[in-house]
Amino acid sequence: AVFSAEVDARGDLGPWRATSRLPAPLYRGSAVVVGRRMYVAGGVLGPMNGLSDRISFAPIMAPGVLGAWVTDPNARLWSGRALVATTPP
């Protein structure tokens, strides 16, 4: 499960709650927020499934709320590295 919490004006975290699920079970992935999206890249799919080369993202809908996760079929990790390019808002 993916958990999120709202951050208040003082920087304190609110209660943690379950939000939308990743497209596949994953642990030890890397996460970053760019603009209004959270990205998860790489990670381990399970003890017998090996490493993931996928990059998934979810829109940030409201503080502490993520939309549905999407796996980009064209984005892959290459040799443990990913390149993410964005345009200014």
Side-chain angles (χ1 to χ4, degrees):
V2 176
F3 291 88
S4 66
E6 187 172 346
V7 181
D8 68 20
R10 296 184 317 198
D12 296 327
L13 289 176
W16 289 96
R17 60 181 169 215
T19 185
S20 58
R21 293 183 174 270
L22 288 168
L26 182 73
Y27 64 98
R28 297 183 69 187
S30 298
V32 64
V33 172
V34 178
R36 303 280 305 157
R37 287 183 176 173
M38 173 174 269
Y39 291 84
V40 173
V44 180
L45 295 167
M48 303 306 283
N49 295 324
L51 301 175
S52 172
D53 65 349
R54 301 294 181 139
I55 299 174
S56 300
F57 65 89
I60 299 172
M61 308 300 287
V65 178
L66 295 175
W69 288 90
V70 174
T71 298
D72 187 335
N74 299 312
R76 300 283 180 139
L77 294 176
W78 175 74
S79 187
R81 294 174 177 84
L83 175 64
V84 177
T86 65
T87 55

Tab-separated table of all heavy atoms in Angstrom, residues 32-39 55 57 72 82-89:
chain	number	residue	atom	x	y	z
A	32	VAL	N	10.080	10.625	-6.011
A	32	VAL	CA	10.343	12.059	-6.098
A	32	VAL	C	9.049	12.757	-6.509
A	32	VAL	O	8.219	12.177	-7.207
A	32	VAL	CB	11.478	12.357	-7.113
A	32	VAL	CG1	11.083	11.963	-8.524
A	32	VAL	CG2	11.900	13.818	-7.057
A	33	VAL	N	8.873	13.987	-6.060
A	33	VAL	CA	7.735	14.797	-6.477
A	33	VAL	C	8.248	15.870	-7.424
A	33	VAL	O	9.204	16.587	-7.108
A	33	VAL	CB	7.025	15.444	-5.263
A	33	VAL	CG1	5.963	16.436	-5.722
A	33	VAL	CG2	6.413	14.375	-4.382
A	34	VAL	N	7.607	15.961	-8.599
A	34	VAL	CA	7.922	16.993	-9.585
A	34	VAL	C	6.603	17.635	-9.976
A	34	VAL	O	5.710	16.957	-10.489
A	34	VAL	CB	8.624	16.404	-10.836
A	34	VAL	CG1	8.882	17.495	-11.863
A	34	VAL	CG2	9.905	15.700	-10.459
A	35	GLY	N	6.468	18.916	-9.699
A	35	GLY	CA	5.213	19.603	-9.998
A	35	GLY	C	4.086	18.999	-9.181
A	35	GLY	O	4.168	18.886	-7.971
A	36	ARG	N	3.031	18.567	-9.859
A	36	ARG	CA	1.865	17.977	-9.197
A	36	ARG	C	1.800	16.470	-9.392
A	36	ARG	O	0.728	15.876	-9.399
A	36	ARG	CB	0.575	18.626	-9.718
A	36	ARG	CG	0.487	20.122	-9.564
A	36	ARG	CD	0.111	20.600	-8.201
A	36	ARG	NE	-1.128	20.004	-7.756
A	36	ARG	CZ	-1.457	19.894	-6.487
A	36	ARG	NH1	-0.658	20.306	-5.553
A	36	ARG	NH2	-2.599	19.344	-6.138
A	37	ARG	N	2.970	15.827	-9.569
A	37	ARG	CA	3.024	14.379	-9.724
A	37	ARG	C	4.069	13.778	-8.786
A	37	ARG	O	5.110	14.376	-8.543
A	37	ARG	CB	3.410	13.985	-11.147
A	37	ARG	CG	2.340	14.200	-12.167
A	37	ARG	CD	2.818	13.706	-13.500
A	37	ARG	NE	1.770	13.807	-14.509
A	37	ARG	CZ	1.954	13.562	-15.779
A	37	ARG	NH1	3.142	13.188	-16.223
A	37	ARG	NH2	0.963	13.675	-16.628
A	38	MET	N	3.782	12.559	-8.307
A	38	MET	CA	4.767	11.778	-7.583
A	38	MET	C	5.215	10.645	-8.493
A	38	MET	O	4.375	9.962	-9.097
A	38	MET	CB	4.198	11.201	-6.295
A	38	MET	CG	5.163	10.251	-5.604
A	38	MET	SD	4.593	9.696	-4.014
A	38	MET	CE	5.347	10.967	-3.016
A	39	TYR	N	6.520	10.485	-8.631
A	39	TYR	CA	7.097	9.438	-9.466
A	39	TYR	C	7.753	8.384	-8.586
A	39	TYR	O	8.379	8.723	-7.578
A	39	TYR	CB	8.168	10.021	-10.397
A	39	TYR	CG	7.616	10.921	-11.461
A	39	TYR	CD1	7.367	12.260	-11.204
A	39	TYR	CD2	7.350	10.430	-12.737
A	39	TYR	CE1	6.860	13.103	-12.179
A	39	TYR	CE2	6.851	11.261	-13.728
A	39	TYR	CZ	6.605	12.594	-13.436
A	39	TYR	OH	6.106	13.412	-14.403
A	55	ILE	N	8.945	3.010	-14.479
A	55	ILE	CA	8.717	4.315	-13.853
A	55	ILE	C	7.211	4.549	-13.860
A	55	ILE	O	6.564	4.487	-14.907
A	55	ILE	CB	9.439	5.442	-14.614
A	55	ILE	CG1	10.955	5.180	-14.609
A	55	ILE	CG2	9.111	6.798	-13.990
A	55	ILE	CD1	11.751	6.138	-15.456
A	57	PHE	N	3.832	7.000	-12.158
A	57	PHE	CA	3.535	8.291	-11.557
A	57	PHE	C	2.065	8.357	-11.176
A	57	PHE	O	1.221	7.642	-11.721
A	57	PHE	CB	3.904	9.446	-12.485
A	57	PHE	CG	3.104	9.497	-13.754
A	57	PHE	CD1	1.904	10.185	-13.807
A	57	PHE	CD2	3.551	8.855	-14.889
A	57	PHE	CE1	1.163	10.227	-14.979
A	57	PHE	CE2	2.822	8.892	-16.062
A	57	PHE	CZ	1.623	9.586	-16.109
A	72	ASP	N	4.399	4.338	-17.132
A	72	ASP	CA	4.717	4.843	-18.470
A	72	ASP	C	5.400	3.732	-19.262
A	72	ASP	O	6.508	3.315	-18.919
A	72	ASP	CB	5.628	6.063	-18.361
A	72	ASP	CG	5.863	6.745	-19.682
A	72	ASP	OD1	5.758	6.087	-20.745
A	72	ASP	OD2	6.152	7.949	-19.670
A	82	ALA	N	17.886	7.006	-14.442
A	82	ALA	CA	16.705	7.523	-15.128
A	82	ALA	C	16.915	8.987	-15.418
A	82	ALA	O	17.565	9.703	-14.664
A	82	ALA	CB	15.448	7.359	-14.272
A	83	LEU	N	16.369	9.445	-16.514
A	83	LEU	CA	16.415	10.857	-16.875
A	83	LEU	C	14.989	11.352	-16.929
A	83	LEU	O	14.157	10.785	-17.639
A	83	LEU	CB	17.100	11.044	-18.243
A	83	LEU	CG	17.110	12.462	-18.781
A	83	LEU	CD1	17.927	13.369	-17.866
A	83	LEU	CD2	17.667	12.476	-20.186
A	84	VAL	N	14.697	12.397	-16.155
A	84	VAL	CA	13.354	12.976	-16.143
A	84	VAL	C	13.488	14.433	-16.555
A	84	VAL	O	14.268	15.173	-15.961
A	84	VAL	CB	12.712	12.873	-14.749
A	84	VAL	CG1	11.347	13.532	-14.741
A	84	VAL	CG2	12.612	11.427	-14.309
A	85	ALA	N	12.769	14.838	-17.581
A	85	ALA	CA	12.783	16.215	-18.044
A	85	ALA	C	11.392	16.806	-17.872
A	85	ALA	O	10.400	16.139	-18.123
A	85	ALA	CB	13.202	16.277	-19.506
A	86	THR	N	11.325	18.034	-17.402
A	86	THR	CA	10.044	18.713	-17.250
A	86	THR	C	10.140	20.090	-17.868
A	86	THR	O	11.233	20.607	-18.110
A	86	THR	CB	9.654	18.865	-15.766
A	86	THR	OG1	10.608	19.715	-15.132
A	86	THR	CG2	9.599	17.532	-15.067
A	87	THR	N	8.994	20.671	-18.114
A	87	THR	CA	8.952	22.047	-18.583
A	87	THR	C	8.512	22.929	-17.413
A	87	THR	O	7.795	22.460	-16.519
A	87	THR	CB	7.952	22.207	-19.748
A	87	THR	OG1	6.688	21.732	-19.318
A	87	THR	CG2	8.413	21.424	-20.962
A	88	PRO	N	8.937	24.193	-17.387
A	88	PRO	CA	8.540	25.074	-16.297
A	88	PRO	C	7.024	25.235	-16.259
A	88	PRO	O	6.363	25.176	-17.304
A	88	PRO	CB	9.213	26.404	-16.627
A	88	PRO	CG	10.286	26.081	-17.618
A	88	PRO	CD	9.819	24.841	-18.337
A	89	PRO	N	6.459	25.441	-15.044
A	89	PRO	CA	4.986	25.611	-14.943
A	89	PRO	C	4.514	26.866	-15.638
A	89	PRO	O	5.194	27.767	-15.911
A	89	PRO	CB	4.735	25.674	-13.448
A	89	PRO	CG	6.056	25.878	-12.801
A	89	PRO	CD	7.115	25.508	-13.788
